[in-house]
Structures are given as structure tokens and as C-alpha cells.
Amino acid sequence: MKKVFFLLFFVSFYLKINAQLRLPKLVSDGMILQRQTPLKVWGWDNEGAKIQVKFQNKIYKTVASKSGNWQLTLPTFEAGGPYQMEVSDAKTKITINDVLIGDVWFCSGQSNMVHQLNIHDVTYAKEIAEANFPQIRQFWVPTLTNTVSAQEDIPNGQWKKAVGEEVRPFSAVAYFFAKKLHQKYQIPIGIINASVGGTPIEAWISEGGLPEIPNIKELVNKNKDTARINETNRKSLEYSRSLPQPSDEGMMGKWYETTYVPKNWKNINVPGYWEDQGIRNLDGIVWYRKEVNIPASMIGRKAKVFLGRIVDADELYINGKRVGSTGYMYPQRRYAVASDILKEGVNTFVVRVTNNGGKGGFVPDKPYCIFSEKDTIDLKGTWQYKVGAVFQRQNNPNTVSPISLQNQPTALYNAMVAHAIPYAIKGICWYQGETNTGKSVEYAQLLPALIKDWRQKWNNTSLPFLYVQLPGFMDYDYLPSESSWAVLRESQAKALSVPNTAMTVAIDLGEWNDIHPDNKKDVGERLALSALKLAYHENVIHSGPSLLSSEIKDQQIILTFDNIGSGLKTKDGEPIGDLAIAGADKKFVWSKSKIEGNKIIVWAEGISNPKFVRYAWSDNPINPNLINAEGLPASPFRTDN
């Protein structure tokens, strides 16, 4: 024990005497600093080191504490730049180049905030090609987790400009948000993007900021035992490796090769799920095969294959050569084909699809084609298929589930948010919620808790907080129905009771077959509208209609709305869609309605004593067409909760 203590003491002593001036990754070349507010500059050095910061011809001084931390505050500055900042001690000088002053927005959430322009490069090809905004910059925070404590810094990261190919890794939503503000105010706009796909909101809240929800705080304490987490994950991995692994007959038989002669393959339609085409209870590997005629005009040229989306994983072979692969269901399949792969006439396309649960196959209503310059060949239609492997479903009570660190309470706050707290910002953009759709009641507590928590951390109780309400997703339901996504949207809307918040409604921007809809531009620009109102105090209409009150009168329900702008209307000139009414039994039917000023009168034949109304109350409303004259959509609502 004495040896261990001596070793720890020696290591600590060695690190202290060998420490040197160091800055956080955020404070680096190309950074954008927040205008019109005092600015903190901080870092680490030896105890007692005299630190000097030189900026705009003035010098600011401080001394490193006993723990080696130092921090000083610069006065407020107006937008401008580029400038140079020098940070030095007696031995070392660090020069930070190309510093701008403008507005900085902290953008966070899950995959729809993550999704880069590069993922949507077909929809936004022109935007990418024409990007030339050196004063729009993004600092991308890498995916990190820590279940033990808040971290002072991150291992890597740098500021990038929205110029040329460098714009591809920008969050699409954040980019269009920043572009709108930059073009209006002609000032630098910085984005600090800390977001991780598939993560719950509780992972982004600090330990002290978590509300009293059963099990969450208990889980925080349990997760501080990293040995327990490591042991659980080790056992889970051992268990999964112990399961029998079915061999893939297709891989063993090399069904992808041009010399392979297919036998006993059956017809199937692409796109489509195999469970909808006569194949029952199959989780496993299915091979698809199609012969495609390629014209001479495409030979010797680079091409691209679009295979929509595939559930879950896939590998594409053309003429026996592996062209591309994707390991999970969400990305759109867009594979480059080298110029030497295609041949004139018949070409063999083979796709190996692996599905681990639910419906497997090719997602409908997506592009399926191969194209090169002016030529496009449709890949939809009849293919052939053969099953390569069937996975046995496991019902073993000894199953050990792994602990996903990025889904644990506080884990992402500790690793990805805490380091940025000293950095001054203009406001926050938040786009998250999909992962919490099964826990909507909790979310109604957690979103206000996150807002309060981050405001306290940034020491600004009125820090603008802008967030996106979930868009439509999944199958259309042509009868009034219950919906966990609708309840989650309601929980999001409730957070508007928190002062200085704004919600961007995106109910009309979703895609039934894609949790990551392509239209990121309208989301970003609607967020920017909220920023204009909330953070820049512009006299603009930033929100669509929101329900203010309801009144039952005779056989009708009268709805009164706020945020109607220049008036209520429908975007297509048709009657209001997705509007349902019910009596005390809550058996909803589609209603009739009429708009009168800021009110909507709702009724239905057969409902003589109406009690409740719902609008756009489903996972994916069919036609949520209620808007204000400014074109902004109404938020879904119900009066029966």
C-alpha cells in the first residue's frame, strides 16, 4: 500500500513540475468569440505561473491556482476581426490566429442535429458547391462519454469554415440556421455542435440538474462504478460470442461472383420488405440479384448507385466486385461505382441484406437507380432472392444486455457539454426527442430541467433556448388514433411555459419512411426566425398558430388561437386536415370546421355533445395544413388531456 501511495504521489509531483501552459481545444485558431459580453479565457499551467493574454493591443494578467487552473475575463467587444490573441507565461507563448468576434450558438441534440450536409449532398448539392462563408464556422465536438464526472476539456477538435468542401461536415440544420443569421446581420456566426445520434435527453443533463425521477439519479450513482460497467459489457460480449453463429450459404457459395449459376431463386419486388411479400418470421441474411442492361454511353465513366434505405445492413456487388456497404438501417445508400466496373449489356447486381429484427428489406418510396452523367437506369421492379442464413431468436433468461454509455444519464453532459461552459454564447439550439418517445411524461420534466440546468451553468437565466418539435414519421393512419410521438410533441410544447424559449414546429417537414428527413433547410431557417424574435428582438412572426383556449357551445367546439400572424388559413386552400372531435367517450371521428378570425369552429355529424378536439394527433399526420398567413404551421394539440 505504501508503494502505491508513493507511486501516485510521484506521478502527481512529476506531472505538476512538468506541466506547461495549455489552452482548451475551443480556444484555438479560427475561433469565434461572443460579441457584446465579457469573455472568459482559461487554461492550465504550473501552480503560480503568471499568465498574460494580449488581445486587441491590451494585456490582461492572472496567476495559475494551486491546482494549475487559471482564468481571466476580457471586456466586451463588438463584431469584427480577424484578430490575433497571444497567451503566454514565462516560458511559453501560444498564438491564436484568425480570431473573429460575432455570435456563437451551442447546437445540440441527437441525429437530426448531427446530420451533416454531406449526408444530404444530393438535396443540397448546389448549397455545398456555392458555400463561401468564411465567417460561418463550426466546432464539432467528438462523441465522448463520462459517467463519473464533468470534464474540463476534450481530446481534439478545431474550428472549420463554411467554405468549399470544408462545409460538408457541418450540421445541415445548424448551417442553414447560421447562414440565415449571417446574411441578415453580416457578422460572424459560430456553431459549437455537440450532438450524438440515438441519445436520450437525460444523457445531456448534469447530475445536479436532473429532476427527481425514479431510478435516474440512482442510475447516476451506480454508473460511477466503472468497473461494474466494464464487467457488464464484458459479460455481454462473451455471451453474444457464445451464441451459435449461423453460416451464410451465400458467402460460402460466393453468390456474388459472376461465375455463380443461380438455382432455386424466387421473385421479389424492390423496394419492399420481405415480410410483406410472402416471407414470414425471417431475421437473417437474404441475397438479392438482378441483371441490369447498361448502355454503351455509361461505359468507362464513373457512376453512382442509389439504393434508397435498407433494413438493416447491406453489401452491394456489381459484376462480382464489392462496390459499397452500410452497417445499419438509417443512412441513405449512395455508392460510387468506379469507371472500370460496368460493361455494355448485361450487368449482375447482387445485394446481401442482413436484418436482425422487424421487417427486413428495401424501404419503399426512396430512389433506386444507377446513373452516370445524363444516363439513369431504374433499379426498381422484380429481383430474385435467396435466403443465405436464418437467425434463431433467443429467449435466454441469462442474456446480459450491454450498457450503452452514450445513453446513460449525465454521460454526454460530462464529456461533451461541461468543457464548453466557460465559453460565452448567444444562445442554444436543441433538436432531440426521438429516443424519448416512449417516455413522454418524463420528457415534460426533463426538457425544462435541461433548459434550467444549462442556463445555470452558463450563468444566464434568460439565455435564449430554441428547439425543434419532432416532425411527422412512420405510417399514415387514416383513422384518429393514439400516438406516442404526438404525446412527446405535446411534452415539447409544454416547455414553452419556460421564459425566453421558442419552439420550431416541423410537423410538415417529416418523411413517413425516414427518421432523418431530407429537408433540413426549412428546419434551420425556422429556427433562425425564432432567433430573430427571441435573441435579436426583431418584430417578426416566428411561430405558427398555437391553441390558446377552447369553448364548448351548443354542438360545436370553438378553438381560439395565438400566434396567428396575419390570419389563420390552410396551406393548400382545402379544409383543415387531421382535425378530430369526440364526446365524453373519447371515440374520435374526423370533424368539419370553419375559420373565423382567430378562431376555428369544429363540429361533426353524430357528435351532439362534443367534449374534445385533436389536431395532427398521430405519429405522422396525413395533411397537417393549418398555418398562419406567414406560412408557419400550427403545432399539434389536443384538448382532452
Side-chain angles (χ1 to χ4, degrees):
M1 187 67 185
K2 289 182 178 179
K3 289 182 179 180
V4 173
F5 176 79
F6 177 76
L7 179 62
L8 292 174
F9 175 80
F10 176 78
V11 169
S12 176
F13 178 75
Y14 176 81
L15 290 174
K16 283 185 177 181
I17 64 173
N18 286 279
Q20 62 179 12
L21 178 64
R22 182 167 62 89
L23 296 172
K25 296 298 184 295
L26 274 170
V27 182
S28 56
D29 288 350
M31 67 179 175
I32 296 181
L33 298 173
Q34 180 59 44
R35 62 177 176 150
Q36 300 172 344
T37 190
L39 298 172
K40 293 178 182 177
V41 180
W42 75 102
W44 303 270
D45 207 333
N46 290 303
E47 175 188 349
K50 296 180 179 179
I51 311 299
Q52 177 175 292
V53 174
K54 183 179 179 181
F55 188 61
Q56 293 201 36
N57 299 317
K58 290 189 177 180
I59 293 174
Y60 310 87
K61 297 179 179 181
T62 190
V63 177
S65 68
K66 187 175 181 180
S67 62
N69 295 291
W70 61 265
Q71 178 178 288
L72 49 76
T73 302
L74 276 57
T76 61
F77 299 98
E78 294 301 317
Y83 303 109
Q84 190 178 78
M85 179 182 289
E86 292 180 357
V87 184
S88 60
D89 61 11
K91 298 179 180 179
T92 307
K93 181 172 76 172
I94 300 173
T95 301
I96 306 168
N97 296 304
D98 194 20
V99 178
L100 300 180
I101 298 174
D103 285 344
V104 182
W105 288 85
F106 191 82
C107 299
S108 187
Q110 59 180 106
S111 53
N112 275 305
M113 184 62 86
V114 171
H115 261 224
Q116 302 98 334
L117 280 165
N118 190 53
I119 295 175
H120 302 273
D121 62 352
V122 174
T123 301
Y124 298 118
K126 188 172 185 289
E127 293 278 359
I128 293 170
E130 296 177 355
N132 187 24
F133 301 100
Q135 290 194 340
I136 298 176
R137 300 179 183 181
Q138 174 179 266
F139 187 98
W140 187 272
V141 179
T143 298
L144 301 163
T145 60
N146 192 298
T147 59
V148 178
S149 61
Q151 301 299 290
E152 293 182 324
D153 200 10
I154 54 177
N156 54 72
Q158 56 187 242
W159 291 90
K160 294 283 190 179
K161 300 176 183 178
V163 176
E165 290 295 297
E166 282 193 28
V167 80
R168 286 183 173 273
F170 275 56
S171 158
V173 167
Y175 170 74
F176 289 117
F177 169 81
K179 182 182 174 184
K180 197 77 172 177
L181 297 181
H182 173 66
Q183 290 181 323
K184 179 172 179 60
Y185 295 110
Q186 295 297 304
I187 61 169
I189 301 292
I191 303 161
I192 302 173
N193 194 310
S195 45
V196 181
T199 53
I201 189 172
E202 59 267 27
W204 295 98
I205 303 174
S206 76
E207 182 176 356
L210 285 167
E212 293 295 335
I213 295 177
N215 302 324
I216 287 187
K217 290 200 172 182
E218 178 184 348
L219 186 56
V220 170
N221 291 326
K222 285 176 66 176
N223 284 340
K224 290 180 180 179
D225 182 358
T226 55
R228 180 190 71 88
I229 293 175
N230 294 337
E231 178 65 10
T232 300
N233 287 344
R234 182 188 65 79
K235 288 181 178 179
S236 177
L237 182 60
E238 287 180 353
Y239 174 76
S240 63
R241 287 175 174 173
S242 71
L243 297 175
Q245 301 296 320
S247 57
D248 179 4
E249 293 181 19
M251 194 59 72
M252 291 190 299
K254 298 182 179 179
W255 294 353
Y256 53 86
E257 289 194 345
T258 55
T259 55
Y260 167 74
V261 179
K263 295 180 181 179
N264 301 318
W265 288 60
K266 295 179 172 62
N267 289 340
I268 195 167
N269 197 61
V270 171
Y273 301 107
W274 60 63
E275 279 86 352
D276 295 335
Q277 301 185 65
I279 302 174
R280 184 182 299 172
N281 296 329
L282 174 60
D283 299 335
I285 298 171
V286 177
W287 291 74
Y288 287 72
R289 179 184 177 91
K290 184 178 180 68
E291 292 185 341
V292 180
N293 278 300
I294 300 295
S297 57
M298 293 181 69
I299 308 308
R301 303 178 185 275
K302 293 180 181 179
K304 274 193 174 182
V305 171
F306 281 12
L307 286 179
R309 284 182 50 236
I310 296 174
V311 182
D312 294 306
D314 68 282
E315 297 175 46
L316 168 64
Y317 298 85
I318 300 178
N319 295 330
K321 296 181 180 179
R322 190 170 183 267
V323 170
S325 66
T326 304
Y328 63 112
M329 72 171 75
Y330 292 117
Q332 295 194 41
R333 274 52 171 182
R334 295 169 178 168
Y335 298 134
V337 182
S339 58
D340 61 346
I341 289 180
L342 299 177
K343 62 181 182 179
E344 184 178 358
V346 175
N347 292 251
T348 303
F349 283 56
V350 176
V351 185
R352 178 180 183 260
V353 178
T354 303
N355 173 245
N356 298 303
K359 291 184 176 183
F362 296 75
V363 176
D365 198 21
K366 289 288 180 182
Y368 293 88
C369 61
I370 180 169
F371 61 93
S372 175
E373 296 182 3
K374 297 180 180 179
D375 296 291
T376 300
I377 307 298
D378 193 355
L379 296 178
K380 296 191 295 293
T382 302
W383 289 52
Q384 291 183 306
Y385 82 91
K386 192 170 184 178
V387 177
V390 177
F391 299 159
Q392 297 297 318
R393 293 176 178 171
Q394 302 294 326
N395 295 309
N396 193 326
N398 297 319
T399 299
V400 179
S401 298
I403 298 173
S404 173
L405 290 176
Q406 69 180 31
N407 292 339
Q408 302 307 302
T410 76
L412 299 178
Y413 170 83
N414 287 340
M416 298 180 66
V417 180
H419 75 99
I421 295 302
Y423 205 90
I425 61 175
K426 180 73 171 180
I428 294 163
C429 294
W430 176 255
Y431 191 170
Q432 187 277 339
E434 297 91 338
T435 300
N436 289 89
T437 50
K439 298 181 178 179
S440 301
V441 175
E442 285 186 3
Y443 201 87
Q445 295 178 260
L446 288 165
L447 182 54
L450 179 136
I451 298 168
K452 180 180 179 181
D453 184 39
W454 287 13
R455 284 176 170 175
Q456 287 179 341
K457 292 296 188 294
W458 263 286
N459 196 29
N460 184 347
T461 56
S462 61
L463 189 66
F465 191 97
L466 322 176
Y467 62 100
V468 181
Q469 189 183 50
L470 292 184
F473 175 55
M474 294 183 288
D475 294 342
Y476 297 112
D477 197 329
Y478 280 82
L479 290 174
S481 60
E482 299 301 324
S483 165
S484 61
W485 277 59
V487 181
L488 194 284
R489 294 186 194 107
E490 180 180 67
S491 294
Q492 292 176 314
K494 288 178 179 178
L496 288 172
S497 63
V498 179
N500 224 35
T501 59
M503 182 178 73
T504 290
V505 176
I507 192 64
D508 57 327
L509 302 180
E511 297 178 25
W512 76 268
N513 56 6
D514 204 331
I515 202 169
H516 304 123
D518 237 4
N519 189 344
K520 296 291 188 281
K521 186 174 184 178
D522 283 343
V523 176
E525 292 187 347
R526 287 180 190 177
L527 268 174
L529 268 181
S530 293
L532 294 183
K533 181 71 172 182
L534 211 64
Y536 298 95
H537 311 295
E538 300 279 0
N539 184 23
V540 297
I541 303 300
H542 74 290
S543 170
S546 54
L547 181 66
L548 192 62
S549 64
S550 65
E551 176 189 4
I552 300 171
K553 188 174 182 181
D554 299 327
Q555 296 181 345
Q556 300 174 332
I557 297 181
I558 302 171
L559 306 174
T560 303
F561 288 83
D562 197 4
N563 298 316
I564 64 169
S566 302
L568 293 172
K569 59 185 294 187
T570 59
K571 66 180 180 182
D572 52 11
E574 297 294 318
I576 299 171
D578 293 280
L579 195 60
I581 193 170
D585 59 3
K586 290 192 176 181
K587 292 181 179 179
F588 283 88
V589 299
W590 298 126
S591 68
K592 296 182 179 180
S593 62
K594 61 180 178 179
I595 296 172
E596 293 184 354
N598 69 337
K599 301 181 187 299
I600 295 176
I601 316 301
V602 186
W603 74 94
E605 295 178 6
I607 306 293
S608 58
N609 189 19
K611 295 291 185 185
F612 308 113
V613 172
R614 291 178 175 180
Y615 170 70
W617 195 261
S618 66
D619 296 338
N620 192 16
I622 300 163
N623 184 28
N625 61 350
L626 179 61
I627 61 173
N628 56 25
E630 284 70 21
L632 296 173
S635 173
F637 63 83
R638 62 175 172 173
T639 65
D640 59 310
N641 57 322

